[in-house]
Amino acid sequence: MTELALSFRILDWGPSADPVLVGGFAEGNLAVLMAGKSVLELNEILLVEMAVCVGQWLFRRGRGELVPFYYASIDYEDEPILAFVPDDRGSLARVESVFSEKELGTVSLRAAEVAAQTFMAGIREELLAELGIDLNSIVDFNIRENPRL
């Protein structure tokens, strides 16, 4: 099965170190790699906002829910920016993006989860080092405030 990785680079943390606002300002680039090759480059996306969506998805996966990861943003009209859509058995996930002109491929659902966890760990580390903000507290707040979760 194809390996998946999400590689990012933060370009700008934005004007605020407020944990409530940082998600709407921290921009960067994201590369989606499959089998070690870049299949998608996403530029100037809101990486902390995406990390919150990843955290919510991982929370739901941890409860055993077979739900897709779906990242959309108010910054872009077209969507999804990035999605992992599981098959009916919960073993595979189709990787999708409105910014790709071709099918990106399929990975194991576990590979998508590991890539998401690794992405979260990287964002968490940089956010804490740069602004002293704990990403987990932002994700936890969003989970508590979202009645659909």
Side-chain angles (χ1 to χ4, degrees), residues 9-120:
R9 186 168 147 245
I10 303 231
L11 301 173
D12 183 10
W13 287 104
S16 178
D18 183 328
V20 176
L21 300 176
V22 72
F25 291 103
E27 287 188 345
N29 298 339
L30 179 76
V32 177
L33 298 102
M34 297 177 74
K37 296 170 75 174
S38 179
V39 295
L40 182 66
E41 299 282 334
L42 299 168
N43 296 317
E44 298 178 7
I45 65 168
L46 298 173
L47 291 170
V48 174
E49 176 188 66
M50 181 178 153
V52 169
C53 292
V54 167
Q56 292 172 334
W57 178 67
L58 290 171
F59 172 78
R60 293 182 73 185
R61 290 291 305 132
R63 292 194 317 201
E65 295 180 38
L66 186 58
V67 293
F69 165 71
Y70 192 91
Y71 172 56
S73 176
I74 61 170
D75 276 4
Y76 292 95
E77 217 170 273
D78 298 325
E79 53 184 71
I81 293 171
L82 185 63
F84 307 140
V85 182
D87 66 3
D88 292 337
R89 294 183 318 236
S91 59
L92 300 175
R94 193 175 60 254
V95 181
E96 298 179 354
S97 175
V98 70
F99 296 108
S100 179
E101 295 177 7
K102 60 181 172 94
E103 284 191 26
L104 295 173
T106 302
V107 298
S108 73
L109 186 54
R110 182 69 190 133
E113 291 169 344
V114 168
Q117 291 164 343
T118 303
F119 170 77
M120 286 283 294

